[in-house]
Each structure stands twice: as structure tokens, then as C-alpha cells.
Amino acid sequence: MSAIEQGIITPTTKERLEELEEERRDLEGQIAREEMKKPLLTKERIMYWLESFKRGDIEDVEYQRRIIDTLVNSVYVYDDGDKGRKLVLTFNISGNNTLTISSSDIERTAPYL
């Protein structure tokens, strides 16, 4: 840019400047396409999403499924030999997102039917 400001322009600098301008346009287009793939989260969008859970009916199976689908990534059930079964749950949260529960833990905490 300083060369252009000083009036130093040659066919080579003009060609290179045009190449860089084209590269900039391509990059701006790529950025716009990526932003459209994953829209930016705004405070309003997050608040609306959280409020949608507040209005649900806890007895509704579809509502329960929506909460589980949102919060739980996966559930694995393993045979833990003579100790019974073991559940490994992975949640869609950051940090410590895995919980392991043994069948003996379930028996101690589950209400009797």
C-alpha cells in the first residue's frame, strides 16, 4: 500500500494487488458460507431455547425424550461379571461429562415398586 501511495506502481505490483484482492474476496465468501452453516448464538436465542424447556409438561413422553436427546450423548450398558451390570453415561456438557453407575448403586437408590 505504501508503494501505491508513493506512486510506485508497476505491472508486477498491480498484478499482485489484484491477486490479493481476489484472495480476500474468496476468503470473505468462505467465511460467509461457514457462518451460514452454524449460526451465531445470541443471548436471545439461548434464552428462548432454555425457556422452551420451562414450558414443557414433565409427564409428556416427547418432552422427556427432547430433554434426554439434548442433554445425553450416549448410554452404554456393560456386563460387569459377578458385580452385575454397569452403566456409562456421557452428557453433552463440557468438563466432567461422563458418569459410571454400577447395578449395586442403582439397587441402593431406586425406589421399590
Side-chain angles (χ1 to χ4, degrees):
M1 290 306 296
S2 65
I4 292 171
E5 289 171 350
Q6 294 173 21
I8 305 170
I9 185 112
T10 66
T12 306
T13 57
K14 183 177 186 305
E15 182 180 314
R16 180 66 179 141
L17 182 60
E18 289 172 351
E19 288 172 4
L20 291 172
E21 287 292 329
E22 184 177 340
E23 184 178 333
R24 182 178 64 88
R25 282 189 299 273
D26 290 342
L27 289 172
E28 286 173 346
Q30 288 176 11
I31 290 169
R33 284 189 295 278
E34 289 300 317
E35 285 177 345
M36 287 182 353
K37 286 181 187 176
K38 188 172 184 179
L40 297 174
L41 292 177
T42 63
K43 179 181 177 182
E44 291 77 21
R45 284 184 179 178
I46 293 170
M47 292 300 294
Y48 176 80
W49 181 73
L50 290 172
E51 287 289 327
S52 73
F53 287 106
K54 185 177 168 183
R55 292 185 297 268
D57 176 11
I58 196 68
E59 300 298 323
D60 179 25
V61 174
E62 285 305 313
Y63 176 71
Q64 295 170 3
R65 182 171 287 127
R66 191 170 136 228
I67 291 175
I68 291 170
D69 288 346
T70 301
L71 300 176
V72 178
N73 181 291
S74 59
V75 177
Y76 297 97
V77 180
Y78 296 98
D79 185 6
D80 204 12
D82 57 351
K83 297 178 186 176
R85 291 195 175 99
K86 176 172 67 172
L87 289 160
V88 177
L89 295 98
T90 306
F91 302 100
N92 290 325
I93 57 173
S94 61
N96 188 5
N97 65 344
T98 303
L99 173 66
T100 302
I101 304 170
S102 67
S103 58
S104 61
D105 293 336
I106 295 170
E107 290 169 4
R108 281 194 304 264
T109 58
Y112 294 98
L113 299 175

